[in-house]
């Protein structure tokens, strides 16, 4: 029975270490999620809604990863308590507990590896999308600059056109005065003849 208790303590220590490792990974995921959320909050007022959509999807994916880690942690805690109770009740279940422990460790390693792969993929996609956003912003800034230059050119042309129109109106007014004078002269000549 003493040997079983020692094995149970060893199993509990191993599970505690695994739990600590999962907590550390969860903290990393939460920290990364917080960093992304802070970065999005900074730029959210300056970029169009269509550029925010990929980041919102990524935030949802990170939230799902965090939820999966929380569920795994709760499940691990529950299974650890069940194994401890079984160890105290009977030494006959030692082999079964040993097998369960190995299966649990293998599953934790496998699921941790999967979660880490997903996290790395999310980080890579975040980097690519951030680079894409920077390029898109530069393109939009260049387009805005070109449109501003076109606007300034149009304003210059409008000013010149208004100036030419004023000159033309002045010339037309002068010609109309001359025509009016000539009409008076013609009328006077007609009266004389």
């Amino acid at each position: 029975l003493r040997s079983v208790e020692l094995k149970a303590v060893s199993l509990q220590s191993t599970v505690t270490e695994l739990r600590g490792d999962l907590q550390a990974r969860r903290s990393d995921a939460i920290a990364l999620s917080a960093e992304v959320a802070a970065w999005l909050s900074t730029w959210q007022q300056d970029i169009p809604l269509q550029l925010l959509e990929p980041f919102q999807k990524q935030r949802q994916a990170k939230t799902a990863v965090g939820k999966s880690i929380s569920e795994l942690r709760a499940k691990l805690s529950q299974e650890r308590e069940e194994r401890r109770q079984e160890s105290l009740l009977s030494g006959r279940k030692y082999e079964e507990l040993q097998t369960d422990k190995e299966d649990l460790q293998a599953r934790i390693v496998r699921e941790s590896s999967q979660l880490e792969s997903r996290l790395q993929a999310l980080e890579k996609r975040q980097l690519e999308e951030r680079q894409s956003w920077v390029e898109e912003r530069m393109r939009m800034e260049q387009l805005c600059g070109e449109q501003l230059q076109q606007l300034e050119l149009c304003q210059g042309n409008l000013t010149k056109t208004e100036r030419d129109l004023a000159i033309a109106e002045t010339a037309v007014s002068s010609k109309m005065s001359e025509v009016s004078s000539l009409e008076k002269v013609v009328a006077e000549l007609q009266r004389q003849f």
Side-chain angles (χ1 to χ4, degrees):
L1 183 58
R2 178 61 178 173
S3 174
V4 171
E5 290 178 352
L6 290 175
K7 293 294 184 180
V9 170
S10 175
L11 176 61
Q12 182 178 359
S13 175
T14 301
V15 173
T16 301
E17 291 177 1
L18 292 173
R19 178 183 179 187
D21 183 55
L22 281 178
Q23 289 176 340
R25 291 181 183 277
R26 183 186 181 201
S27 298
D28 292 341
I30 292 173
L32 180 58
S33 178
E35 179 183 350
V36 172
W39 182 83
L40 287 176
S41 176
T42 301
W43 291 102
Q44 192 170 13
Q45 298 176 354
D46 299 331
I47 58 179
L49 183 60
Q50 61 271 22
L51 295 180
L52 283 177
E53 184 176 355
F55 292 94
Q56 291 173 346
K57 289 181 179 179
Q58 184 176 8
R59 185 188 304 171
Q60 292 173 356
K62 285 186 177 292
T63 301
V65 171
K67 183 178 179 181
S68 297
I69 292 175
S70 298
E71 292 175 354
L72 181 60
R73 179 185 174 190
K75 190 173 183 179
L76 177 62
S77 178
Q78 180 181 359
E79 290 183 1
R80 182 189 64 180
E81 181 62 23
E82 290 174 357
R83 299 303 177 267
R84 189 181 69 84
Q85 292 295 333
E86 289 175 2
S87 295
L88 293 175
L89 289 175
S90 175
R92 290 177 299 178
K93 292 189 176 182
Y94 171 75
E95 292 297 330
E96 180 182 349
L97 287 174
Q98 187 68 20
T99 302
D100 289 344
K101 172 190 171 183
E102 292 173 357
D103 291 343
L104 179 60
Q105 287 177 335
R107 186 175 62 189
I108 289 173
V109 170
R110 184 174 61 253
E111 292 181 359
S112 296
S113 177
Q114 292 174 353
L115 290 174
E116 185 175 357
S117 297
R118 289 177 60 187
L119 184 58
Q120 289 175 352
L122 287 174
E123 290 174 346
K124 181 179 179 182
R125 186 168 62 186
Q126 175 194 359
L127 183 61
E128 292 173 351
E129 291 176 350
R130 184 179 298 177
Q131 180 64 30
S132 174
W133 177 86
V134 169
E135 293 173 357
E136 180 66 16
R137 181 177 179 183
M138 290 176 63
R139 188 187 68 80
M140 292 180 66
E141 288 176 349
Q142 181 180 0
L143 180 61
C144 288
E146 293 173 356
Q147 291 179 349
L148 181 59
Q149 289 178 355
Q150 292 179 0
L151 177 61
E152 291 174 351
L153 180 61
C154 290
Q155 287 177 341
N157 292 337
L158 178 61
T159 301
K160 183 178 181 301
T161 302
E162 290 176 345
R163 187 166 54 248
D164 293 343
L165 181 60
I167 293 172
E169 288 177 348
T170 302
V172 168
S173 177
S174 176
K175 294 297 181 182
M176 290 295 293
S177 297
E178 291 178 7
V179 169
S180 178
S181 298
L182 289 174
E183 287 177 347
K184 289 179 181 180
V185 170
V186 169
E188 182 65 25
L189 290 174
Q190 287 175 349
R191 258 196 322 269
Q192 290 177 2
F193 290 105

